[in-house]
Amino acid sequence: MGLGVIKSYIWSFAARFSHIALILGFAISYLLSEFDDLLYFHATFGVVFGVAIIFRIIWGFIGTKHSKFSDFKFYGLMAYFRSFFGKKEKFIGHNPASSIAIIIMLSLGFVCAVSGLMLYAIDKNSGIFAFLYDSYSELKFVKSIHEVSANLLLIVAITHICGALIDKLIHKNDALNSMITGYKLTKNDESVRANLTQKIFCLVWILAIIATFLYILNRDNFILKSHALKVDYSSQNAVFAKECGSCHMLYPPFLLPKKSWEIMMSGLENHFGTDASIDDDTNKNILNFLVANSAQTRGDKTAFSILKYAKNDQNIAITQNEYWIKKHRKIDEKVFLRKDVKSKANCVACHKEIENGIIGLIDYEKIK
């Protein structure tokens, strides 16, 4: 079937707008995933992508004719591929290859978006799934699901784009152009006309994508906002805050395992080269507090990872834990020698709220 002479309106503006939102949302989010200091924006564009996915799925059931899943061609795939080497058949809506690709991409996109929100929650204690933060050990597999679904989606999307380019450049069809203009040349008038419900849905669809993006730019939003709570250690244990905080920053107890705190508190006469001895009652008070709030008492990613790399709980230096080393491996050693940092042990130089038990707030400018 060659190109016709009648200009038919096939794809609604909402469908085309969402198509662009899907492409940009996924592409930008994927690229930003490599930058730790841009993680929030990675999540932002991921959410926009997810919103576009949800509306496109709904549109597949209630939309105009050629956008409905019921109009998709899921048969004749091999015949369609064979036509690449001869006279290629023209489809008014989706051809067999694009029909299958779209279902796969929507499915992978949905999994990618949901798993991304879950991963953001268990990594950063943020977003709508923040209640899962203390269940890292049970949910750490979510990272693999997110990465696999994202990479598979990228492969399918690139394949889909290549197919569209071949269709346009080699077979001279107008399917690619129609995703921009909404029109295809057909033998007969195949134009779609949205009813009132569809028009209202399209308007909501477009506004939802734009509103979601603008709303999330304000970080105090329910979708991605942090649920980390500041801990007032001086209120929880004034002795710990006074004795330990008088010589150095207050290190949150969850940064070391129970055994490490026990070893440390039993050897204060040689505390990293200084005599930090205290009376027995004070020592016992602080030790009990440290043990009661050690890494073993939490279920979040940081505590889980510290325990994983603790090397039999014999190490008492936080900066010598393999997890600490892994998380800081990209930082130039010169950063730790700067006057405003001084040493690896001065965590508060970059982690502004660490003395309140919050690690996630990082001054990325300082470590560049």
Side-chain angles (χ1 to χ4, degrees), residues 321-337:
N321 182 280
E322 288 298 324
Y323 180 64
W324 187 98
I325 295 171
K326 178 182 177 182
K327 294 297 290 185
H328 296 76
R329 68 186 182 280
K330 295 181 181 180
I331 302 177
D332 193 317
E333 289 291 325
K334 294 179 181 179
V335 171
F336 299 111
L337 300 177

Side-chain angles (χ1 to χ4, degrees), residues 11 15 34 61 155 158 170 187 192 202 224 295 350 355 365:
W11 310 119
E34 296 300 316
F61 294 101
I155 292 171
I158 290 175
I170 297 179
K187 299 288 187 180
V192 297
C202 286
L224 293 177
C350 298
E355 291 186 289
E365 289 299 321

